[in-house]
Amino acid sequence: MTSVIAGQSLPLLAQFYDFDGGTLTDLDATPSVTITNIGTGSTALTATTSGVTHPGTGSYGYTWTPSTSLAAGAYLVLWSGLKNGGAVTASETVTVVAPASAEATNTSPHGVWYCTREDVQRALDVKETARNARQIDRAIEGASRSVETLCHRRFYPVVATRYWDWPDGRTSRPWRLWLDDNELISVTTITSGGTTIPSTDFFLEPVRSGPPYNRVEIDLDSSAAFGGGATHQRSIAITGLYGYRNDETAVGALAEALDASEASIDITGAASAELGVGSVLRVDSERMIVTGRSMLDTGQNLGGAGLTAQANSVTVAVTDGTAYAIDEVILVDSERMLIVDIAGNSLTVRRAWDGSVLAAHTAGTDIYAPRTLTVTRGALGTTAATHTPATSVYRWNPPGPVRQLTLAEAISTLTLEQAGYSLMLRSGETGSERKRDQRGLEVLREQVYASHGRKARIRGV
């Protein structure tokens, strides 16, 4: 049995003999080749002679490149031709496996964060500048990977196909496959030895507390089984959603149509208030990672008599208050303002937000908001696609304690950098080196490991 990874080319060869054990002989004409899925009967390659070569007497070749979207499984390659006017055929079985492991697709953990840049800025009351943004981003990246190391797991959802040897060289029940750190949220397909195992013939465990699921078990009341490959290597392939949990919140909608190549998206005010740099989004089936934000004209202007340069001048009159959201930041001239309440078409704001300067503003001035997001398209194993206006935007939510520890670790890194990594003594301590009291951070680490860490286990025998 021949195997090919979807998306890669496979040379096929058919040879015809004048009789069993005889010599190779040419056919009357070039034979056609057809490829069908054995399990479903669907056609992967319609009968064709185009591209069929004739490298030698009685030999015919064809190079097949299965689509990366082709379902994994066993496929029948059928050659059909004529010899002396009579029908002759040749066939072979090819196993198609999913195109790549997680490491070979767009599923790298780098850039997937468990808190946002804005979370850190608000916690530290830091004015947004390009220099600070880069420093904060670096701290969040390090904190996110540190939390993963502490907990021995990755939390974000990623669509991927991953492989296991079977038999796997470890002592275990023949119907049970331990996933270890490749925890599953849900399964699309499981194949073993090129044969698809129906969803009714396996269980994801532990059923009472998953996801995440740490093992797959064959239903012993079924005829399914692991194994059956030509060798034990990569015998089992599981395509699905890997990670801890897929907890999502609908945060708003697209404000424009998207094609598959755009690297920036416009969103509504509701989404702008909920998202930040580092957020993981889902639009239809495509996931995106927010890597930047920029201001977009909201299409509305400052109403009423404008605003004076006073902190108590906090009412921003607009044409349509429903187009804005509490916690959204707006920009009028060069002053940023945080919306803290909305009543009809009046926005109550906090002036001079984010380190900007309190200033007077005349009526009719354009109002901007950070509603244009720079994103990584087709992230976490998904494919960039087209989307229509008003399509819902969903935000993936990391577990609360994980988000809190990531934020704390990032803040700790930034404050240590500001202090040149010098540490302060606690009251009553002596010594030549200063030490910072980090007991609160240590306690938080212990709590997160206790609640979300993947603990060691003893394999069943």
Side-chain angles (χ1 to χ4, degrees), residues 37-342:
N37 186 304
I38 294 175
T40 65
S42 60
T43 301
L45 177 68
T46 304
T48 183
T49 57
S50 177
V52 175
T53 61
H54 187 205
T57 302
S59 299
Y60 298 89
Y62 181 81
T63 299
W64 181 45
T65 305
S67 167
T68 55
S69 61
L70 192 67
Y75 286 78
L76 178 66
V77 179
L78 180 65
W79 297 82
S80 300
L82 295 174
K83 177 61 178 176
N84 298 326
V88 292
T89 61
S91 65
E92 68 172 307
T93 301
V94 173
T95 299
V96 175
V97 296
S101 63
E103 289 74 20
T105 58
N106 53 345
T107 59
S108 168
H110 301 293
V112 182
W113 300 343
Y114 301 128
C115 72
T116 66
R117 180 194 295 171
E118 289 75 5
D119 290 335
V120 176
Q121 287 173 331
R122 288 196 180 188
L124 292 176
D125 194 20
V126 173
K127 177 182 178 181
E128 183 174 11
T129 67
R131 179 180 63 82
N132 284 338
R134 287 193 293 269
Q135 184 183 27
I136 290 172
D137 293 353
R138 176 166 40 81
I140 297 174
E141 173 67 30
S144 297
R145 305 291 76 82
S146 175
V147 171
E148 290 174 347
T149 300
L150 172 70
C151 295
H152 307 297
R153 63 170 26 127
R154 294 175 180 176
F155 295 91
Y156 56 88
V158 54
V159 177
T161 298
R162 295 175 181 172
Y163 303 90
W164 284 263
D165 292 352
W166 195 266
D168 61 359
R170 304 173 301 189
T171 301
S172 61
R173 305 295 184 184
W175 62 83
R176 179 181 296 146
L177 174 68
W178 289 104
L179 302 174
D180 295 329
D181 58 339
N182 292 282
E183 295 173 312
L184 277 166
I185 299 171
S186 62
V187 166
T188 304
T189 59
I190 298 179
T191 62
S192 185
T195 299
T196 299
I197 300 176
S199 60
T200 54
D201 290 353
F202 64 82
F203 301 122
L204 297 178
E205 300 290 351
V207 66
R208 291 185 298 276
S209 60
Y213 301 109
N214 61 22
R215 64 188 185 273
V216 178
E217 295 187 3
I218 295 295
D219 182 357
L220 297 181
D221 195 34
S222 73
S223 59
F226 290 131
T231 71
H232 71 286
Q233 294 176 302
R234 298 191 177 188
S235 177
I236 299 174
I238 301 179
T239 300
L241 187 63
Y242 290 83
Y244 186 74
R245 283 199 177 95
N246 189 28
D247 295 330
E248 295 181 327
T249 300
V251 295
L254 295 179
E256 61 168 348
L258 287 182
D259 62 32
S261 63
E262 291 181 79
S264 64
I265 64 174
D266 293 343
I267 55 175
T268 60
S272 173
E274 295 286 346
L275 302 176
V277 176
S279 293
V280 175
L281 314 181
R282 181 178 62 82
V283 181
D284 294 326
S285 61
E286 180 188 353
R287 286 187 173 84
M288 311 175 191
I289 300 174
V290 180
T291 59
R293 302 177 78 186
S294 58
M295 290 293 176
L296 177 69
D297 192 337
T298 64
Q300 299 191 42
N301 301 326
L302 182 62
L307 293 169
T308 64
Q310 296 176 306
N312 62 357
S313 179
V314 295
T315 301
V316 175
V318 295
T319 305
D320 180 11
T322 62
Y324 298 86
I326 294 173
D327 275 346
E328 185 178 18
V329 174
I330 59 174
L331 177 68
V332 181
D333 292 325
S334 294
E335 182 183 351
R336 295 174 185 252
M337 308 174 193
L338 176 68
I339 301 174
V340 296
D341 206 352
I342 299 174

Side-chain angles (χ1 to χ4, degrees), residues 440-452:
L441 184 56
E442 292 170 358
V443 168
L444 184 56
R445 288 172 182 153
E446 293 172 359
Q447 291 174 341
V448 172
Y449 178 74
S451 63
H452 290 83

